[in-house]
């Protein structure tokens, strides 16, 4: 059973990795780069301040930072616990992969990029409760996850695992943030 899941995971990863050309390579590298999304983060800060005011926005920023810390550190813990090689370190796949942006660390389950971006997307969506923002944030997370598979840095299920972890942590962080705002009467 596990062998079948691994084979499906490798097949899906290779299919996504092989949808490549030079223009797509540039786009996927940009999507995967954390600096690309700085304007989004600044826009969210502006939006939070406009909608909620600075005190409430400060609580939101702290929640987002804590969410990022938890998603990142727990995903690193998973990598060190499961020790699942990234596809670009897997001897049986290395000659089959196109690696336009190198390889990255040795282990990949779960994807930190996927956990971080989905955590941010879910947390922002829960806070703002706006369908268009939710769709935009989920698109941001899915594009980032897809880019990690495309670039050969993660398996398909590494990214799915990261999405699940990020979403779960974001939900917990949201509930904690709402409780804190009510408990300390932050307006």
């Amino acid at each position: 059973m596990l062998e079948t899941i691994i084979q499906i995971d490798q097949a899906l990863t290779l299919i996504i990795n092989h949808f490549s050309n030079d223009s797509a390579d540039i786009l996927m590298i940009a999507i995967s780069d954390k600096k690309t999304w700085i304007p989004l983060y600044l826009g969210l800060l502006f939006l939070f301040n406009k909608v909620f005011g600075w005190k409430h926005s400060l609580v939101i920023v702290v929640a987002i930072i804590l969410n990022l810390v938890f998603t990142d550190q727990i995903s690193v813990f998973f990598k060190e616990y499961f020790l699942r090689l990234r596809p670009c370190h897997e001897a049986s796949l290395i000659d089959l992969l196109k690696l336009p942006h190198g390889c990255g660390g040795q282990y990949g389950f779960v994807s930190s990029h996927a956990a971080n971006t989905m955590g941010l997307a879910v947390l922002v969506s829960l806070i703002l409760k706006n369908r268009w923002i939710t769709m935009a944030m989920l698109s941001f997370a899915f594009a980032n996850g897809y880019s990690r598979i495309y670039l050969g840095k993660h398996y398909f299920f590494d990214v799915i695992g990261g999405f699940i972890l990020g979403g779960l942590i974001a939900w917990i962080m949201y509930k904690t943030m709402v409780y804190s705002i009510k408990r300390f009467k932050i307006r």
Side-chain angles (χ1 to χ4, degrees), residues 41-165:
Y41 307 144
L42 294 174
L44 287 171
L45 284 173
F46 174 78
L47 183 60
F48 291 143
N49 190 49
K50 184 175 179 181
V51 171
F52 299 110
W54 74 270
K55 286 182 183 178
H56 198 146
S57 294
L58 185 60
V59 174
I60 292 170
V61 169
V62 169
I64 288 173
I65 290 169
L66 288 172
N67 191 66
L68 174 65
V69 169
F70 285 126
T71 56
D72 191 64
Q73 292 306 302
I74 292 171
S75 64
V76 169
F77 170 79
F78 276 40
K79 286 175 186 167
E80 293 172 1
Y81 180 80
F82 289 105
L83 301 176
R84 183 175 191 212
L85 293 174
R86 291 176 187 256
C88 53
H89 286 296
E90 186 67 51
S92 63
L93 295 180
I94 192 69
D95 293 332
L96 303 173
L97 288 168
K98 182 176 180 191
L99 302 172
H101 194 244
C103 187
Q106 189 171 8
Y107 302 114
F109 184 81
V110 298
S111 168
S112 295
H113 273 76
N116 295 340
T117 56
M118 185 57 75
L120 178 64
V122 169
L123 186 56
V124 167
S125 298
L126 289 169
I127 291 167
L128 293 174
K129 295 177 178 41
N130 178 289
R131 179 173 48 133
W132 296 108
I133 290 174
T134 296
M135 289 178 7
M137 292 304 296
L138 290 175
S139 296
F140 149 74
F142 289 133
N144 201 289
Y146 182 88
S147 75
R148 304 305 288 169
I149 302 165
Y150 177 97
L151 294 170
K153 295 183 185 271
H154 285 286
Y155 287 106
F156 181 83
F157 289 140
D158 293 351
V159 170
I160 299 301
F163 285 161
I164 293 167
L165 177 65

